[in-house]
Amino acid sequence: MHSTMKTLSFGLDQVNVSFLQGPSSPLVITPRWNDSLEFITKWLELNRSWVEDQMLAYGAVFVRGFQIDNAPDFERAVNALQPDLCDAYRGTSPRSLKEGCKYAFSAADVPVNYPIAQHLEMSFLRSPPRQLYFGCMKASSKPGGETALCDFRKVYRDLSPELREKLATKKIKYTRKHAKVGERFTYDVGAMLGWPQLFGTSDKKEVERITKEENAPPVQWVGENQ
């Protein structure tokens, strides 16, 4: 297998590239001849700069039709494109690590009909993620569950100059509240996530250390279910 892989070409002409819905929509990469996991991982590695340029230009790039059949396959392909992945999650949705993975998590451990508004992933962090990667191994058998994409660069351009100036000068203050045990029967996805699950520890001193290390606002412990 190794000798065969060495003789393969991994240029841009080895895949099909199209638009999802039109010239201003995300790009879609599909197999031209080789749909194997080995091919796409090597192709992503060797064409990393080009793919990242397209992500910046079009907002998103879809990779479809290749033999990426499970979460470990997905993680392997993504890791070929981005070797500097991070597994620290400080968002509000309850998530679980996929079996056999270090970086691939469920998108949200909630029913598919739960509303999750469009948002900028962990924008409250001083250094939010530069890129996000989503993988769909199995289409939902029920209505809902889609991951909607939004180009927030366009959203920002559509804001009035007055509002943009107000956001730039006055800034935004985020206040989050997490109980020790998350709620179950609620439409507030953030309330489902308890702080021990969020930080991976039930030690308050360790939580304070983590937030300080991440240059986050200081933690305040309030109430009985703190």
Side-chain angles (χ1 to χ4, degrees):
M1 182 181 71
H2 295 291
S3 60
T4 302
M5 291 294 287
K6 288 181 180 178
T7 62
L8 291 178
S9 173
F10 295 94
L12 297 179
D13 60 344
Q14 299 301 301
V15 297
N16 295 316
V17 180
S18 60
F19 289 106
L20 183 65
Q21 294 179 330
S24 61
S25 65
L27 290 187
V28 180
I29 297 172
T30 55
R32 172 163 284 186
W33 296 290
N34 193 334
D35 67 350
S36 69
L37 176 63
E38 289 73 17
F39 171 81
I40 190 58
T41 52
K42 193 65 177 178
W43 188 91
L44 289 170
E45 176 186 351
L46 296 178
N47 295 280
R48 182 180 302 147
S49 295
W50 182 84
V51 174
E52 290 187 338
D53 287 344
Q54 308 317 304
M55 293 170 66
L56 185 61
Y58 297 102
V61 172
F62 288 73
V63 178
R64 290 178 167 174
F66 294 91
Q67 295 179 30
I68 302 175
D69 300 324
N70 50 51
D73 289 350
F74 168 69
E75 183 173 285
R76 178 180 170 187
V78 171
N79 207 25
L81 177 64
Q82 177 51 264
D84 188 25
L85 295 175
C86 178
D87 60 354
Y89 174 65
R90 300 291 180 257
T92 57
S93 298
R95 294 178 176 177
S96 55
L97 183 67
K98 304 302 288 187
E99 185 177 356
C101 297
K102 176 176 172 55
Y103 301 104
F105 291 78
S106 58
D109 293 335
V110 298
V112 296
N113 63 320
Y114 269 50
I116 298 179
Q118 291 176 333
H119 58 280
L120 296 166
E121 185 73 1
M122 293 189 280
S123 59
F124 48 83
L125 296 179
R126 297 185 187 276
S127 298
R130 293 183 295 111
Q131 298 170 344
L132 294 176
Y133 304 91
F134 293 93
C136 180
M137 303 298 105
K138 181 181 179 181
S140 176
S141 60
K142 302 177 181 179
E146 301 91 348
T147 297
L149 297 180
C150 176
D151 190 337
F152 276 92
R153 296 172 298 184
K154 294 182 180 179
V155 173
Y156 179 78
R157 289 196 293 267
D158 288 343
L159 297 179
S160 67
E162 294 79 14
L163 180 54
R164 291 201 299 263
E165 177 65 19
K166 183 177 181 179
L167 292 172
T169 54
K170 293 184 176 296
K171 310 297 182 182
I172 297 176
K173 180 179 180 179
Y174 292 94
T175 301
R176 291 174 57 181
K177 181 180 179 181
H178 289 276
K180 186 172 184 178
V181 179
E183 299 179 27
R184 291 186 59 189
F185 303 104
T186 175
Y187 272 97
D188 182 359
V189 176
M192 297 179 182
L193 192 64
W195 62 260
Q197 184 181 358
L198 176 64
F199 291 99
T201 178
S202 58
D203 186 335
K204 294 181 181 179
K205 293 296 184 182
E206 179 65 9
V207 171
E208 293 171 358
R209 185 197 66 78
I210 292 173
T211 55
K212 184 177 181 180
E213 185 178 85
E214 295 180 350
N215 200 21
V219 176
Q220 292 180 316
W221 305 104
V222 180
E224 294 181 0
N225 188 20
Q226 55 181 303

